[in-house]
Amino acid sequence: MVKYELLAEQLKIEGIVEDLEWVRPDVIHTEAIHRAHSPSYVETLEGGLWTKQEERQSGFPWSAELIHREKVIMEGTRMCAQWAAQGKVGLNIAGGTHHAYRDHAEGFCLLNDLAIAAYDLIDSGLERILIVDLDVHHGNGTAEIVGQDPRIFTFSMHGAKNYPMKKPPSTLDIALPDQTGDGDYLALLDDALNTIFTSFRPQVALFQCGVDVLVSDKLGRLSLSLQGCAQRDHMVFSACKDAGIGVACAMGGGYSKDVNTIVKAHTNTFRIARDVWT
Ligand SMILES: [Zn+2]
């Protein structure tokens, strides 16, 4: 996708790459995938054994390159999460594939990097993982995979009328009306983060920071400004920093007509992360 190339370019131009460590991940181990996905599904995925309907539901035509790319993205978020476990910030230039279920692909998401990373952290001995999903679309796959697991708090704040129609319950869901703007959005987020950090006391956070919340987005139905979106990111990063925990980010969606707007919003996320952490 062109936005990822442009984002990498912009991060270099602004010198953000030099300030953050830049890593190219390998593919993720199958064992890590199996913590969040059924082995039979992974076999279907790897073997190109999708039915026509499964392929349609995924949003992609199957190819070996597609699966390879997805596994690299999974490893990226997994590595970011391990940095986060050390109190640092890690940002995946892609990822945030929150529509992938335990045993099927959906909405351009084949494997769920947030769920995989959360269970990888649990395997490393952590006990309280927070997933903050602020993409405009509900984190349906993550909610289904994690279910009622008390070790993982899933928080999704999304457009009430957006895809997906079926929204399995997160630990906390905030469904927003169409055209919600900066003021109401940020007040609700601030309130929710305060409650979560006080009651759940996460040891580490995973942040799906989709920028399809922007007013310019073709698919989102909310009305955040670029500045409001940046304030959103700052709020999440500051909450983590103040609580003394690290955070791993996965970029998520962004479908503004002008690709430069998308790149600007994602670049803001990287810049704010750097500024809060340095
Ligand atoms: Zn989205």
Side-chain angles (χ1 to χ4, degrees):
M1 256 167 123
V2 69
K3 82 164 181 178
Y4 298 120
E5 285 155 34
L6 290 173
L7 173 58
E9 206 49 49
Q10 190 60 29
L11 294 172
K12 283 178 201 157
I13 290 167
E14 294 200 21
I16 298 172
V17 170
E18 278 87 64
D19 298 333
L20 299 163
E21 201 182 338
W22 189 253
V23 176
R24 281 180 188 279
D26 204 342
V27 293
I28 194 164
H29 276 286
T30 304
E31 192 191 324
I33 302 176
H34 283 172
R35 294 194 193 108
H37 294 277
S38 65
S40 60
Y41 168 60
V42 178
E43 220 174 284
T44 309
L45 198 63
E46 288 178 332
L49 304 170
W50 274 342
T51 61
K52 277 283 160 218
Q53 200 208 332
E54 283 169 330
E55 189 169 51
R56 232 187 345 264
Q57 200 173 14
S58 81
F60 290 119
W62 187 93
S63 72
E65 295 76 46
L66 176 73
I67 306 308
H68 178 83
R69 189 185 68 178
E70 191 78 350
K71 286 182 175 178
V72 171
I73 292 171
M74 295 305 113
E75 179 65 358
T77 302
R78 194 198 67 78
M79 288 173 75
C80 288
Q82 288 295 334
W83 274 311
Q86 297 166 37
K88 301 181 202 169
V89 61
L91 300 106
N92 189 343
I93 205 162
T97 47
H98 57 167
H99 301 311
Y101 279 67
R102 181 175 292 278
D103 63 2
H104 72 267
E106 207 179 292
F108 306 103
C109 303
L110 312 183
L111 296 167
N112 193 311
D113 61 340
L114 300 161
I116 288 173
Y119 281 110
D120 191 65
L121 290 168
I122 284 171
D123 192 61
S124 304
L126 275 83
E127 291 166 343
R128 294 185 309 281
I129 322 290
L130 169 63
I131 299 177
V132 177
D133 188 338
L134 300 184
D135 191 278
V136 83
H137 302 104
H138 179 258
N140 55 343
T142 315
E144 186 262 354
I145 293 171
V146 169
Q148 301 304 308
D149 190 330
R151 300 169 298 179
I152 306 172
F153 191 111
T154 53
F155 166 41
S156 178
M157 190 150 107
H158 50 269
K161 290 189 181 164
N162 273 103
Y163 165 88
M165 286 307 113
K166 193 176 148 217
K167 299 176 174 66
S170 312
T171 316
L172 173 63
D173 279 310
I174 299 182
L176 302 167
D178 287 357
Q179 271 111 48
T180 298
D182 294 350
D184 289 343
Y185 185 98
L186 293 169
L188 281 166
L189 178 60
D190 190 31
D191 207 36
L193 289 174
N194 279 330
T195 305
I196 295 167
F197 274 83
T198 307
S199 60
F200 184 66
R201 293 180 298 111
Q203 296 167 304
V204 62
L206 308 178
F207 178 22
Q208 209 279 22
C209 46
V211 299
D212 43 13
V213 288
L214 292 174
V215 65
S216 53
D217 200 85
K218 286 182 284 183
L219 303 181
R221 305 169 72 106
L222 303 187
S223 297
L224 264 69
S225 67
L226 260 175
Q227 197 199 3
C229 190
Q231 281 176 277
R232 173 200 77 168
D233 295 345
H234 192 269
M235 204 175 260
V236 175
F237 291 140
S238 300
C240 293
K241 187 79 168 125
D242 292 349
I245 67 168
V247 57
C249 304
M251 286 305 108
Y255 316 95
S256 291
K257 236 178 264 158
D258 182 357
V259 72
N260 291 317
T261 307
I262 306 171
V263 172
K264 241 183 230 169
H266 285 314
T267 304
N268 282 343
T269 306
F270 276 78
R271 190 184 312 106
I272 295 161
R274 177 198 62 185
D275 293 349
V276 169
W277 255 267
T278 53

